[in-house]
Amino acid sequence: MTQVNDTQQTIYDNNNIFAKMLNGDIPCHKVYEDDKTLAFMDIMPQAEGHVLVIPTQKAVDLGDLAPEYAAAVLMTAQKIMQAQRQVFAREGIVQMQLNGAQAGQTVFHYHLHLIPSSIQELGRHAAIEVDHDQLAATAKQLAAVINA
Ligand code: 5GP
């Protein structure tokens, strides 16, 4: 497990929002899922098409992620990126992942960000919630490419 200090949340909280999504307790705009991962739209995207990939493992950050889940997250990330490249007709996709509150992590269940953007054009982090109809439509488009 990650070491405990004063500034970071290091103990896994079963009530975090991503845990609730995995349990089906709160909804998400799902793009893809398998037995080890779930991918869904970020509701406060840093660019259009911003997707989060999470493991089903209860991991706070990279330090806790078991190798088989790390592999599964990256395999799902490849599917998502391929779909984003097709749907948004662009090559550039930012892959980002924050470890600890000090790094800016706000949800303490490990997640990979995949953002159709350049690093210079990234919008503000977790700042502005966008229209859910648009998120649902994008999730559907990305899922259709993955399932084609
Ligand atoms: P972190 O700061 O932990 O790296 O990223 C957390 C991400 O979760 C942010 O990009 C934020 O916009 C996103 N987020 C926060 N609350 C929710 C939510 O309720 N649903 C979804 N889909 N994303 C969320």
Side-chain angles (χ1 to χ4, degrees):
M1 285 290 282
T2 312
Q3 293 301 302
V4 175
N5 67 35
D6 288 343
T7 57
Q8 274 182 222
Q9 181 171 341
T10 55
I11 308 296
Y12 188 84
D13 172 9
N14 285 307
N15 288 316
N16 77 73
I17 48 166
F18 295 170
K20 287 180 178 171
M21 282 179 199
L22 284 170
N23 293 336
D25 291 339
I26 63 170
C28 66
H29 300 288
K30 187 173 76 181
V31 176
Y32 174 84
E33 75 178 328
D34 57 30
D35 63 330
K36 288 195 173 60
T37 66
L38 173 68
F40 54 90
M41 304 309 298
D42 194 308
I43 61 169
M44 292 174 273
Q46 291 181 250
E48 188 185 3
H50 183 162
V51 173
L52 301 172
V53 181
I54 67 174
T56 55
Q57 186 203 344
K58 295 177 178 180
V60 172
D61 66 18
L62 182 61
D64 301 322
L65 196 60
E68 65 267 33
Y69 287 92
V73 164
L74 285 179
M75 285 191 286
T76 295
Q78 286 179 329
K79 292 186 206 297
I80 300 296
M81 186 180 78
Q82 202 174 16
Q84 287 170 321
R85 282 180 161 168
Q86 194 168 321
V87 167
F88 294 100
R90 60 173 292 128
E91 181 203 8
I93 307 291
V94 172
Q95 177 183 320
M96 180 177 84
Q97 190 262 313
L98 309 178
N99 296 288
Q102 196 175 42
Q105 185 177 3
T106 55
V107 179
F108 295 92
H109 179 116
Y110 174 95
H111 50 281
L112 199 70
H113 298 257
L114 289 167
I115 314 172
S117 177
S118 71
I119 192 74
Q120 294 87 358
E121 291 169 325
L122 272 186
R124 281 178 53 216
H125 183 63
I128 300 167
E129 189 163 343
V130 299
D131 175 51
H132 279 247
D133 289 344
Q134 181 60 50
L135 292 173
T138 304
K140 211 171 161 184
Q141 270 184 300
L142 292 168
V145 170
I146 291 168
N147 295 322

